[in-house]
Amino acid sequence: MKAIRKFTVRAVLPEPLAALEELAGNLRWSWHEPTRELFAHIAPEIWREVGHDPIALLGEVEPARLSELAADGGYVDWVSHQRDELRAYLEQPRWYQSLDGTAPGTIAYFSPEFGIAAALPQYSGGLGILAGDHLKSASDLGVPLVGVGLFYRAGYFSQAISPDGWQLESYPVLDPDGLPLAILRRPDGSPVQVTLALPDDRTLHARVWQAAVGRVRLLLLDTDIPDNGDELRLVTDRLYGGGGEHRLLQELLLGVGGVRAVKAWAELAGASEPEVFHTNEGHAGFLGLERIADLIGDGLSFAEALEVVRAGTVFTTHTPVAAGIDRFEASLVERYFSADLLPGVAAADVLALGAETSADGAGVFNMAYMGLRLGRHANGVSKLHGEVSRAMFRDLWPGFDVEEVPITSITNGVHAPTWTDSALRSLARAQLGGSDTTAADWNSAQLGDDELWSVRNDMRRQLVLDARERTTKAWQKQNPGGIAPGWMGEILDPAVLTIGFARRVPTYKRLTLMLHDQERLRGLLLHPTRPVQIVIAGKSHPADDEGKRLIQQLVRFAAEPEVRERIVFLPDYDIAMAQLLYPGTDVWLNNPLRPLEACGTSGMKAALNGVLNLSILDGWWSEYFDGENGWAIPSADSAGDAAERDKLEAESLYDLIEHQIVPRFYERDHDGLPVRWLQSIRHTLATLSPELSADRMVREYVQRMYRPAGDAEALLSANHYEAARALAAWKARVVAAWPGVSVAHVESGGVTAVPQVGDELHLRAHVNLGSLVPDDVAVEVVYGRSHNGDDLREVEIRELEPSAEAAASEGKPVLFTGTVELARAGGFGYTVRVVPKNALLAGSAEMGLIAVAS
Ligand SMILES: *Cc1c(COP(=O)(O)O)cnc(C)c1O
């Protein structure tokens, strides 16, 4: 990356337009249509060329044009009106300010990537865009969040496709001065620097960029500064670039350096230090260790500090794919934590947090395991993914039923103002009143079918024109000076049923499933009266040749002269493309191998625009498909092998398109309107938009994670960590005593010879407590329906009471008694178990200790 260093000279704005600088400096413009219109008005052509980027626009526009606008009273008023509107947005109370009771004063949200706008390319895909949407909705709701990430000099890569269909990567170097970023400085103007002590007496330095995302601050750490030697400058060179040590350095910087940066920021901004820390996937997990080190500095032991940190940490897991989890060599992690990085923290304690439980996990440091051990509030990102995660990580809570594994789920959402096309928003405003498409009554008769269809047609046409332009430009880039073949200006048809498919290209997403039977696909594409067209995009990880081969297969198929006007692959999938692509399709296709798609968000963005989903019942679709909002591709999970499964699922895909989707799309009334299709669109918009919005998601995080985490952290920290110390001491005592805990035997009575509904089952459990006392444990009867096999269903748990003589029975089994009513007919089963009990625990599974009657 020793290429030419470029820099950006910012325009000097005429005085009357000075407020444009303030507006350009807050990324709210990326989702606030009136502010975008204000910038577009300056020079619509340039606005388009620079990809809707206000800072780039101001750098390109002729000074004469700015002078002209400065003399235009109407424009100057418009600018100051928008500036006032922004200030009001930043200051006025919003949803969070109306909450009753305690709520955290500051929440730090850590993520390795943030996708906020095309103009700030610091993301690779879904995880980053979700993080961007999280910040935007937090801003809209007034949630006091601060984002923490890294500033990558080259972001993710830019994709081109070679003439033979192979993905080519390039890494355009970003100039932060041309981006909506400012260095975090002290009042005397000196930049804040974060430092990390590394092995061999090296030190990693980072400066901190800040971006304003509406009301939310985003801090991005950057190592490309002269204080670092050449090698360390490259730590933040690119997103997910290297493996091993490079990646570990990035994650140490994000976690450990991120906490240091956020504290410096809080002090300078007059904000409270974060009480709650949320780590978006495991990459930022080291943040917990930095906080532990801090608390050890305050006089706590490692175990006591761990309790405080766990109480205030939220961990979101995003992947059911093992390859998606960061794993390092334990020896490498040990080397870094044996240096002076975190004084007071022993490397052995760190290694224990990342240790894998399985035999083949020896020597491996697993970031997801550490995330779960450092955060007592954990979740997956859809209901199904919650289930899958509980099964995937159940080894951390051995002995418990999979349902009891303390990982819940909060289904992802997408930021509606970012992802709803402005044409649809205008329609909602004009016809339904109100600007919020997620709350509009899409079934209202106020909105005519013809108007809705006309907007859908406009959005499709917009995509077709964009696809033609992109295809032509990509060709010209590879053939400088040449004239692009005429057919490139004719690809796709604005009236044809359009299917979209865009995503990263890991194998499980099955980019090429649609190519399974090429003859059948050709038949669909080339149908004389009711054709289908397909628009595809996606990047493969640079190190993933298998993904690149899939892209190549697709590109080669799409290059066949017969079909090339009906199926196109658009290079360089990014936010800007996505914003036209989703609204422009009629059907959004998703065909992962179930259950490997944790949630999937592109289909949500499509649905917000009235697009119908055609998807495997995976991720969000398995909980929201209702028979009217699209189509479910049946999963052939039980097929003998992968090839058989692909075949069956591909055939279902073709069948659905041919027999259900095509006929419904082309079925028109005498006005040419696809009435049934429009019903599905209305139904989709009315029922899914509120559910799929990131506002719903962020509210859930606030209520179900951030507030409980804030409360737990406050409880354990009060009186100089009194409760944390007590909890750590109690846990140590219980862990030591647990080998002596067992259920000696259980007697039952009360049920008649032929048990009937209404009978009461009386239980007497004799329990060995070793050195524990009855108050340290809960003895529980776990009961439910029993079918064939061992598992109980519809499980309920009731605690048994220690009998009066319990206290006196030292050394002997203690009697616990209780009653269960047989409320339902059918198979009944129960078991008795002992678990630790303490009001300061998050739940009975927290410690992973259990003793079950044999
Ligand atoms: C939404 C989005 C994604 C993620 O989509 P998935 O359906 O989760 O794969 C990836 N890239 C871009 C540009 C997006 O906008």
Side-chain angles (χ1 to χ4, degrees), residues 123-126 129 419 502-504 509 573-575 578 582 597 600-603 605:
Y123 61 92
S124 74
I129 295 183
W419 294 109
R503 38 188 57 83
R504 290 179 304 107
K509 298 207 186 217
Y573 181 36
D574 70 353
I575 290 183
Y582 307 141
E597 187 69 86
T601 49
S602 55
K605 301 173 208 167

Side-chain angles (χ1 to χ4, degrees), residues 43 52 60 209 244 262 264 268 271 305 307 313 373 392 394 446 453 457 500 556 560 564 698 725 791 812 814 829:
H52 303 178
E60 296 279 319
W209 294 101
V262 86
L268 289 167
E307 293 306 330
T313 303
R373 288 177 175 133
M392 183 167 164
R394 70 180 297 179
Q446 295 271 76
W453 189 236
N457 285 329
R556 285 186 171 162
E560 291 176 12
R564 68 190 179 195
V698 170
R725 292 174 202 268
D791 284 346
K812 283 182 261 148
V814 179

Side-chain angles (χ1 to χ4, degrees), residues 712-848:
E713 149 103 23
L715 178 66
L716 291 194
S717 305
N719 291 333
H720 203 66
Y721 311 107
E722 188 182 330
R725 292 174 202 268
L727 179 59
W730 179 83
K731 276 191 177 178
R733 187 161 67 74
V734 170
V735 168
W738 204 255
V741 174
S742 64
V743 181
H745 71 280
V746 179
E747 299 151 4
S748 62
V751 178
T752 45
V754 184
Q756 299 181 17
V757 170
D759 279 1
E760 286 189 338
L761 176 68
H762 300 293
L763 291 169
R764 293 166 59 81
H766 302 268
V767 177
N768 293 313
L769 292 180
S771 59
L772 298 181
V773 298
D775 278 353
D776 290 329
V777 299
V779 176
E780 299 172 333
V781 52
V782 181
Y783 61 99
R785 286 183 185 279
S786 93
H787 294 262
N788 312 329
D790 292 341
D791 284 346
L792 295 178
R793 289 207 253 151
E794 297 170 49
V795 168
E796 291 185 56
I797 295 175
R798 178 157 314 161
E799 197 176 331
L800 305 183
E801 297 295 327
S803 61
E805 69 268 26
S809 55
E810 195 154 330
K812 283 182 261 148
V814 179
L815 175 65
F816 288 75
T817 61
T819 299
V820 173
E821 192 194 345
L822 304 183
R824 287 179 305 224
F828 179 88
Y830 72 93
T831 172
V832 172
R833 69 184 195 181
V834 191
V835 290
K837 177 178 161 184
N838 187 311
L840 295 172
L841 287 179
S844 54
E846 174 171 342
M847 295 175 68

Side-chain angles (χ1 to χ4, degrees), residues 19-26 29 35 38-39 79 82-83 86:
L20 285 175
E21 177 108 29
E22 188 175 329
L23 286 159
N26 191 312
W29 57 254
T35 310
L38 182 76
F39 283 110
V79 171
Q82 286 309 334
R83 193 252 335 259
L86 173 64

Side-chain angles (χ1 to χ4, degrees), residues 510 512-518 520-521 524 589 591 614 616 633-636 642-658:
R510 292 192 296 185
T512 53
L513 188 71
M514 66 179 87
L515 297 184
H516 192 83
D517 180 345
Q518 299 198 356
R520 200 153 171 208
L521 178 62
L524 293 169
L589 173 63
N591 49 229
L614 165 59
I616 295 275
I633 306 168
S635 292
E644 180 65 11
R645 179 171 179 178
D646 283 357
K647 176 170 182 290
L648 292 171
E649 295 183 8
E651 278 166 5
S652 303
L653 169 64
Y654 300 129
D655 285 345
L656 283 168
I657 295 175
E658 183 174 339

Side-chain angles (χ1 to χ4, degrees), residues 445-461:
Q446 295 271 76
L447 175 66
D449 271 357
D450 50 342
E451 290 154 319
L452 183 54
W453 189 236
S454 145
V455 165
R456 292 278 330 136
N457 285 329
D458 289 347
M459 296 194 293
R460 194 184 314 103
R461 185 172 310 108

